[in-house]
Amino acid sequence: MLDVIEIPKGERGVIRVFDLDMRPEQARFLREPGALAQVLGVEDIDLDHVEIFPVSDLEDLGLAGYLTQGCGIPEDEVTADRNRLNAIQGHVLLLRSRAFAGLAERLTPASQITPIASYGESAIKWQAAPMAQNESSKPYSAPQLSPRQARHAARRIGASLFAVVMCVIVLVLYLVVF
């Protein structure tokens, strides 16, 4: 009987690690549309949230280091599986929850795909300290001008800018002529 992996509806922030016991050309073929979905026993999978690569590409970092430093998994979650993760040879499959678009799925992986572990990504804390309320940050706290006063101020600013630009033009013409 095949192992069945249940993916609950709306799952977020989980990375599943699988060991791929297959030839390199077979592992590369899993990147083709529909191939990975077929060997996992699902209808569809978003390949943008799937990583398939040889562990040798990670060099000195290792799979455990990649999961903590590259995928944001807390170090304490990986510590228990570090030896098992670093013992993997060949290709590995990292499957994020987002690959299922929030739908509930039942994975029935083929015999060459061995589940290793599931890890939760570090949650981002979106809370911030409350901001201080200054008087100037409150709505309508700026001095209110009547429409006539606002027009007068705008005309004054416009006239000043016009005078500055004209002075610059006269200065440039003076320097060119003399």
Side-chain angles (χ1 to χ4, degrees), residues 37-131:
Q38 183 179 0
V39 296
L40 289 177
V42 295
E43 286 290 319
D44 191 32
I45 194 164
D46 185 356
L47 293 177
D48 290 339
H49 303 290
V50 173
E51 292 182 64
I52 300 171
F53 58 89
V55 176
S56 61
D57 285 356
L58 299 175
E59 296 175 354
D60 294 335
L61 183 63
L63 185 56
Y66 178 70
L67 290 170
T68 56
Q69 296 177 23
C71 298
I73 297 173
E75 182 76 34
D76 56 334
E77 281 192 46
V78 177
T79 303
D81 298 324
R82 183 172 297 282
N83 292 335
R84 189 166 46 146
L85 291 169
N86 290 333
I88 296 175
Q89 301 294 316
H91 282 73
V92 69
L93 163 68
L94 299 183
L95 187 60
R96 288 180 161 70
S97 298
R98 290 176 281 179
F100 304 107
L103 301 174
E105 291 287 350
R106 290 174 52 95
L107 302 181
T108 53
S111 60
Q112 302 99 333
I113 301 175
T114 307
I116 300 298
S118 296
Y119 301 105
E121 296 174 285
S122 297
I124 298 173
K125 301 205 182 338
W126 295 101
Q127 299 288 335
M131 292 181 56

